[in-house]
Amino acid sequence: MSEFPACPSCNENMTYPDGDHLVCPMCGHEWSEDTADSQSAPQYRDAHGTPLQDGDTVTLIKDLKVKGSSTVLKMGTRISNIRLVEGDHDVDCRVDGQKLLLKSCFMKKA
Ligand SMILES: [Zn+2]
């Protein structure tokens, strides 16, 4: 119960969790645990929980529509030399020369 980070706004240690984010009752500041977690090295895992690293080769475990285009990446598509980035779409990669951001939960390490 004591590992909640101090409030990034006022530095009080009264932080408590509320749903999926943290709240400071002293100043009312709210922030997400993701932000707090980013202070430590982020962990990237594939759909099976296998850790991923920059330069890994992965395959897609389902068809993925590419946001903002009519492209559909087929299940089983092999993607090499991925780069891991922070964010909701945490895998930066190139498929058929197109630069894409995908989610690690839809792929498995090849
Ligand atoms: Zn505060």
Side-chain angles (χ1 to χ4, degrees):
M1 284 297 287
S2 61
E3 72 244 42
F4 296 116
C7 173
S9 182
C10 69
N11 248 346
E12 290 288 347
N13 273 302
M14 306 289 285
T15 306
Y16 65 90
D18 180 14
D20 61 355
H21 59 276
L22 298 170
V23 178
C24 169
M26 301 306 285
C27 68
H29 185 63
E30 297 184 8
W31 70 102
S32 77
E33 279 189 89
D34 285 350
T35 308
D37 285 345
S38 70
Q39 287 163 2
S40 58
Q43 279 281 320
Y44 299 96
R45 294 179 187 279
D46 72 4
H48 301 290
T50 307
L52 295 172
Q53 292 182 318
D54 285 356
D56 275 353
T57 297
V58 298
T59 54
L60 298 180
I61 60 167
K62 60 173 283 191
D63 290 357
L64 290 183
K65 268 208 180 100
V66 178
K67 220 175 175 180
S69 85
S70 57
T71 307
V72 176
L73 302 174
K74 288 290 181 194
M75 187 176 86
T77 298
R78 205 177 160 88
I79 304 172
S80 58
N81 201 21
I82 62 170
R83 203 166 65 81
L84 298 162
V85 296
E86 280 188 53
D88 185 35
H89 291 66
D90 51 6
V91 178
D92 186 356
C93 58
R94 253 171 209 284
V95 182
D96 295 335
Q98 201 178 356
K99 194 171 155 59
L100 299 170
L101 279 174
L102 303 174
K103 293 187 179 188
S104 56
C105 59
F106 296 138
M107 50 187 63
K108 67 181 167 78
K109 194 165 166 170

